[in-house]
Amino acid sequence: MPSGTLPPDVVIARALRAHTRTLVAMCTMVVVLMLIGAGALSMAGGNVGDLRVVAGLTMLGAGQVLALAAAAFAGAGWLHIVRAVGTPGSTQSARAVADGIPGEQVEVTGRRLALLLRVTLGVAVLGVTAWAVMAVEGVIGAVVGGVLVAQVAVVITLVRTHLLLHPRRP
C-alpha cells in the first residue's frame, strides 16, 4: 500500500480494512462450507456411513480448516498492525507508517495467503488421490469435496488480489 502523500491514519486504516475484509471473507467461507456439509448430511439420511459421504465430508472439513487458517493469517496481520501503530494521530502511528509497517504487514499476509493457496490446491489433489487409493467407492465424494476445497483456493486468490494487495480505493 503506497503511503505517498496520504496521512498516516489513512494508510493505517486502509491496511486494517484490507485485513478486516479478508478475515470476514474467509470466516464467511467457513460458514458456507458448514452449511454445505449440513445439507449433505441432511440429504444423506440413513446413508451417513457411506464411503462417498464420508469422503466428501472429510474433504469439506479440510477446506474448512484451510479457510480458518487463512482467517487466522488475516487476524494475526490485523493484530500486528494494531499493536505496532498505537493511538491514532500519535507520533507512534506516524513513525509506524514512516517505517512502512502497515504496508509490510499487508505484504506479509499476502505472502502467507499465497503459500496457503498452494497448500490448499495440494490438499485437494492429495485428498482425492488418497481416497482413490484407500477406497475407490469414495472417489466420487472425494472429487465433490475436492471441488469445494478448490473453491476455498479461489476465494483465497480473490481475497488476496482484490481485497489485500490491490484494493479499490473509495
Side-chain angles (χ1 to χ4, degrees), residues 26 29-35 37 57 59-69 149 152:
M26 296 317 301
M29 188 69 195
V30 172
V31 171
V32 166
L33 290 176
M34 182 214 38
L35 293 173
L57 290 176
M59 294 295 290
L60 189 73
Q64 285 182 304
V65 168
L66 292 162
L68 279 172
V149 173
V152 172

Short mmCIF file of all heavy atoms in Angstrom, two decimals, residues 26 29-35 37 57 59-69 149 152:
data_model
loop_
_atom_site.label_atom_id
_atom_site.label_comp_id
_atom_site.label_asym_id
_atom_site.label_seq_id
_atom_site.Cartn_x
_atom_site.Cartn_y
_atom_site.Cartn_z
N MET A 26 -13.02 -14.88 4.70
CA MET A 26 -12.60 -16.26 4.99
C MET A 26 -13.49 -16.90 6.05
O MET A 26 -13.79 -18.08 5.97
CB MET A 26 -11.12 -16.30 5.41
CG MET A 26 -10.17 -15.87 4.29
SD MET A 26 -10.53 -16.51 2.62
CE MET A 26 -10.46 -18.26 2.86
N MET A 29 -16.51 -18.01 4.31
CA MET A 29 -16.26 -19.25 3.58
C MET A 29 -16.40 -20.45 4.51
O MET A 29 -16.94 -21.49 4.12
CB MET A 29 -14.86 -19.21 2.94
CG MET A 29 -14.59 -20.35 2.03
SD MET A 29 -15.61 -20.23 0.55
CE MET A 29 -15.45 -21.85 -0.10
N VAL A 30 -15.95 -20.33 5.74
CA VAL A 30 -16.09 -21.41 6.72
C VAL A 30 -17.56 -21.70 6.96
O VAL A 30 -17.99 -22.86 6.98
CB VAL A 30 -15.36 -21.07 8.04
CG1 VAL A 30 -15.68 -22.10 9.11
CG2 VAL A 30 -13.87 -20.98 7.82
N VAL A 31 -18.35 -20.65 7.13
CA VAL A 31 -19.79 -20.82 7.38
C VAL A 31 -20.48 -21.45 6.16
O VAL A 31 -21.32 -22.34 6.30
CB VAL A 31 -20.44 -19.47 7.76
CG1 VAL A 31 -21.94 -19.58 7.82
CG2 VAL A 31 -19.89 -18.99 9.09
N VAL A 32 -20.12 -21.01 4.97
CA VAL A 32 -20.72 -21.58 3.75
C VAL A 32 -20.40 -23.06 3.65
O VAL A 32 -21.29 -23.88 3.36
CB VAL A 32 -20.23 -20.82 2.50
CG1 VAL A 32 -20.55 -21.57 1.23
CG2 VAL A 32 -20.84 -19.42 2.46
N LEU A 33 -19.17 -23.43 3.92
CA LEU A 33 -18.81 -24.85 3.88
C LEU A 33 -19.55 -25.64 4.95
O LEU A 33 -19.93 -26.80 4.74
CB LEU A 33 -17.30 -25.03 4.02
CG LEU A 33 -16.47 -24.56 2.83
CD1 LEU A 33 -14.99 -24.69 3.14
CD2 LEU A 33 -16.82 -25.34 1.57
N MET A 34 -19.76 -25.02 6.12
CA MET A 34 -20.53 -25.69 7.16
C MET A 34 -21.96 -25.95 6.71
O MET A 34 -22.51 -27.02 6.92
CB MET A 34 -20.53 -24.86 8.44
CG MET A 34 -21.28 -25.53 9.56
SD MET A 34 -22.19 -24.48 10.72
CE MET A 34 -22.88 -23.20 9.77
N LEU A 35 -22.56 -24.95 6.06
CA LEU A 35 -23.93 -25.12 5.58
C LEU A 35 -24.01 -26.18 4.48
O LEU A 35 -24.96 -26.97 4.43
CB LEU A 35 -24.48 -23.79 5.07
CG LEU A 35 -24.69 -22.72 6.15
CD1 LEU A 35 -25.07 -21.39 5.52
CD2 LEU A 35 -25.74 -23.18 7.15
N GLY A 37 -21.99 -28.76 4.25
CA GLY A 37 -21.85 -30.02 4.97
C GLY A 37 -23.12 -30.43 5.67
O GLY A 37 -23.50 -31.61 5.65
N LEU A 57 -17.24 -35.43 3.11
CA LEU A 57 -17.20 -34.64 4.34
C LEU A 57 -15.78 -34.45 4.86
O LEU A 57 -15.47 -33.41 5.44
CB LEU A 57 -18.08 -35.29 5.41
CG LEU A 57 -19.58 -35.20 5.13
CD1 LEU A 57 -20.36 -35.95 6.20
CD2 LEU A 57 -20.04 -33.76 5.05
N MET A 59 -13.12 -34.15 2.97
CA MET A 59 -12.56 -33.10 2.12
C MET A 59 -13.15 -31.74 2.49
O MET A 59 -12.45 -30.73 2.51
CB MET A 59 -12.82 -33.43 0.65
CG MET A 59 -12.11 -34.67 0.15
SD MET A 59 -10.33 -34.50 0.16
CE MET A 59 -10.11 -33.31 -1.14
N LEU A 60 -14.44 -31.73 2.78
CA LEU A 60 -15.10 -30.49 3.19
C LEU A 60 -14.50 -29.97 4.48
O LEU A 60 -14.25 -28.76 4.62
CB LEU A 60 -16.60 -30.75 3.37
CG LEU A 60 -17.49 -29.56 3.58
CD1 LEU A 60 -17.63 -28.79 2.29
CD2 LEU A 60 -18.85 -30.02 4.07
N GLY A 61 -14.23 -30.86 5.41
CA GLY A 61 -13.59 -30.47 6.67
C GLY A 61 -12.19 -29.90 6.44
O GLY A 61 -11.79 -28.93 7.09
N ALA A 62 -11.46 -30.50 5.51
CA ALA A 62 -10.13 -29.98 5.18
C ALA A 62 -10.25 -28.56 4.62
O ALA A 62 -9.43 -27.68 4.94
CB ALA A 62 -9.44 -30.90 4.18
N GLY A 63 -11.25 -28.33 3.78
CA GLY A 63 -11.47 -26.99 3.24
C GLY A 63 -11.78 -25.98 4.34
O GLY A 63 -11.30 -24.84 4.30
N GLN A 64 -12.56 -26.41 5.32
CA GLN A 64 -12.87 -25.51 6.43
C GLN A 64 -11.62 -25.18 7.24
O GLN A 64 -11.41 -24.03 7.63
CB GLN A 64 -13.92 -26.13 7.35
CG GLN A 64 -15.31 -26.10 6.78
CD GLN A 64 -16.31 -26.67 7.75
OE1 GLN A 64 -16.16 -27.80 8.20
NE2 GLN A 64 -17.32 -25.88 8.07
N VAL A 65 -10.78 -26.17 7.49
CA VAL A 65 -9.55 -25.93 8.24
C VAL A 65 -8.65 -24.94 7.48
O VAL A 65 -8.07 -24.03 8.07
CB VAL A 65 -8.81 -27.26 8.52
CG1 VAL A 65 -7.41 -27.02 9.02
CG2 VAL A 65 -9.61 -28.10 9.50
N LEU A 66 -8.56 -25.10 6.17
CA LEU A 66 -7.73 -24.20 5.37
C LEU A 66 -8.30 -22.78 5.35
O LEU A 66 -7.56 -21.80 5.40
CB LEU A 66 -7.58 -24.76 3.96
CG LEU A 66 -6.75 -26.06 3.90
CD1 LEU A 66 -6.99 -26.79 2.59
CD2 LEU A 66 -5.28 -25.75 4.10
N ALA A 67 -9.62 -22.66 5.28
CA ALA A 67 -10.24 -21.33 5.33
C ALA A 67 -10.03 -20.70 6.69
O ALA A 67 -9.80 -19.48 6.79
CB ALA A 67 -11.73 -21.44 5.00
N LEU A 68 -10.09 -21.50 7.75
CA LEU A 68 -9.80 -20.98 9.09
C LEU A 68 -8.34 -20.52 9.21
O LEU A 68 -8.05 -19.51 9.86
CB LEU A 68 -10.09 -22.04 10.15
CG LEU A 68 -11.54 -22.19 10.58
CD1 LEU A 68 -11.70 -23.40 11.49
CD2 LEU A 68 -12.04 -20.94 11.25
N ALA A 69 -7.44 -21.24 8.57
CA ALA A 69 -6.03 -20.83 8.58
C ALA A 69 -5.87 -19.48 7.89
O ALA A 69 -5.13 -18.62 8.37
CB ALA A 69 -5.17 -21.89 7.91
N VAL A 149 -12.86 -27.75 -1.89
CA VAL A 149 -11.55 -27.29 -1.42
C VAL A 149 -10.94 -26.35 -2.46
O VAL A 149 -10.34 -25.33 -2.12
CB VAL A 149 -10.62 -28.47 -1.11
CG1 VAL A 149 -9.22 -28.00 -0.79
CG2 VAL A 149 -11.16 -29.29 0.06
N VAL A 152 -12.23 -22.99 -2.06
CA VAL A 152 -11.53 -22.25 -1.00
C VAL A 152 -10.29 -21.58 -1.59
O VAL A 152 -9.99 -20.42 -1.29
CB VAL A 152 -11.15 -23.19 0.17
CG1 VAL A 152 -10.25 -22.47 1.17
CG2 VAL A 152 -12.39 -23.72 0.87
#
